[in-house]
Amino acid sequence: MDWIRMSARIAVTTLAVSAASAFAAEREITVPGPQGALHGTLLKPDAPGPVVLIIPGSGPTDRDGNNPLGVRGAPYAKLANALAARGIASVRADKRGQFASMGAVVDPNAVTIADYAADAQSWVAAARAATGAPCVWLLGHSEGGLVALATGAGPGICGHILVAASGRPLGSVIRAQLRANPANAPILAQAEGALDALEAGKRVDTAVLHPALANLFAPAVQGYLIDLFRHDPAMLAKRLSAPMLIVQGDQDLQIGVEDARTLAAARPDAVLAIIPGVNHVLRQVGTSGDRAANLASYGNAELPVDAGVVDAIAGFVRGKR
């Protein structure tokens, strides 16, 4: 295994979205969804090269990486542009039932990881047709890493790039996040009881839960959580043999370095890139451990994607050509 320790630095090579037109063309593309089209963006440099499919993280995260819950500044769009500057094309898409893909399904919560994996397969086919590439790299961020692993491998998939992706079932991740905040002590027992039930495939009655847990365990998302908790990312990674890159920032408040090491242990031939100072939304926040500053960066639209993240991804996919 290659263990890469990237030097910490503020990104200086990430290009603004508006600069893309100088070297790459961006256009809307669609693929069929269950009840309507799925919408995405293709960013293609002039010269042929590798192609990545950027699979978004959890919740209402759009194709650019923005989230109405607080993430601003289009981190996925900035990543796509930075990769385009290195001659790497990309597709990024809105999830079924959300944003421009709203018409694909009636209920965006009535989905499974298998549904998202099927959509990824459709986007791989569309990306190959649009670029002429023989295969496409699956680049999954956060929960998107699980989707990339569940999509598996095949003739049209070059390999897997897991960015800030969990190495544990997501129920374990939520437990750890709840336990990490001392303020959750009064509701921790109820939360863990609900997680136990969902992991066993049973729905929970939110009427008996503390109001602070209402959104986390909302009835509308319980079906999705039951499905989500069934998947073990490390086991999925172990079953795959295609090339794999694991990228993890060491200032990530949601997914830890140990998650990346767990994935790497499951795939000893994978490349592991641990990037100092980088948080969950791929921004450089330094190594002081200032939690408030880290969280504040999520809403700072001016911050670029860290250059170390771009270097790791671009170097990997270009080296595998």
Side-chain angles (χ1 to χ4, degrees):
M1 178 187 299
D2 292 318
W3 297 86
I4 304 175
R5 193 77 184 179
M6 309 295 292
S7 60
R9 58 196 181 276
I10 298 297
V12 294
T13 59
T14 303
L15 301 184
V17 173
S18 61
S21 60
F23 54 83
E26 185 172 275
R27 65 181 176 90
E28 184 88 358
I29 60 173
T30 62
V31 299
Q35 296 167 289
L38 300 169
H39 290 256
T41 299
L42 169 69
L43 181 57
K44 183 177 177 295
D46 293 335
V51 183
V52 301
L53 171 64
I54 300 174
I55 304 173
S58 62
T61 300
D62 69 16
R63 74 182 80 176
D64 290 337
N66 293 323
N67 186 310
L69 302 178
V71 182
R72 301 180 181 87
Y76 298 162
K78 288 176 178 175
L79 175 60
N81 277 271
L83 292 174
R86 313 288 185 89
I88 299 168
S90 64
V91 171
R92 59 189 196 272
D94 291 327
K95 293 188 283 188
R96 58 167 67 189
Q98 299 187 35
F99 306 102
S101 298
M102 187 177 295
V105 291
V106 173
D107 182 2
N109 293 315
V111 294
T112 64
I113 293 297
D115 291 334
Y116 286 144
D119 293 343
Q121 287 280 14
S122 296
W123 284 116
V124 165
R128 293 176 68 195
T131 63
C135 62
V136 175
W137 291 94
L138 301 181
L139 191 164
H141 174 251
S142 191
E143 186 182 286
L146 176 60
V147 175
L149 290 169
T151 304
I157 295 173
C158 307
H160 303 79
I161 302 168
L162 311 178
V163 182
S166 176
R168 300 163 286 167
L170 267 294
S172 298
V173 174
I174 294 173
R175 272 191 189 81
Q177 291 174 350
L178 289 168
R179 291 171 181 171
N181 186 350
N184 290 329
I187 61 172
L188 193 57
Q190 277 196 348
E192 294 192 340
L195 288 168
D196 289 342
L198 292 166
E199 287 171 332
K202 302 174 183 176
R203 290 180 176 267
V204 299
D205 181 4
T206 55
V208 301
L209 296 180
H210 190 282
L213 297 172
N215 287 333
L216 179 59
F217 299 116
V221 301
Q222 287 186 26
Y224 180 65
L225 292 176
I226 288 170
D227 175 73
L228 182 66
F229 294 167
R230 291 180 179 138
H231 299 274
D232 185 334
M235 290 301 297
L236 291 172
K238 187 175 183 178
R239 294 171 187 163
L240 296 171
S241 58
M244 183 176 293
L245 170 67
I246 302 161
V247 180
Q248 180 63 46
D250 72 357
Q251 299 298 307
D252 192 326
L253 298 175
Q254 293 161 258
I255 300 295
V257 169
E258 285 308 307
D259 283 283
R261 295 196 189 281
T262 298
L263 290 168
R267 274 293 304 271
D269 62 330
V271 174
L272 174 63
I274 299 175
I275 322 283
V278 169
N279 69 1
H280 192 68
V281 291
L282 314 183
R283 289 160 177 173
Q284 179 59 236
V285 294
T287 56
S288 68
D290 186 334
R291 182 181 179 88
N294 192 328
L295 291 172
S297 75
Y298 285 49
N300 187 338
E302 303 304 315
L303 291 177
V305 169
D306 181 75
V309 173
V310 180
D311 289 344
I313 296 169
F316 181 76
V317 301
R318 297 205 68 87
K320 296 292 183 181
R321 291 184 65 187

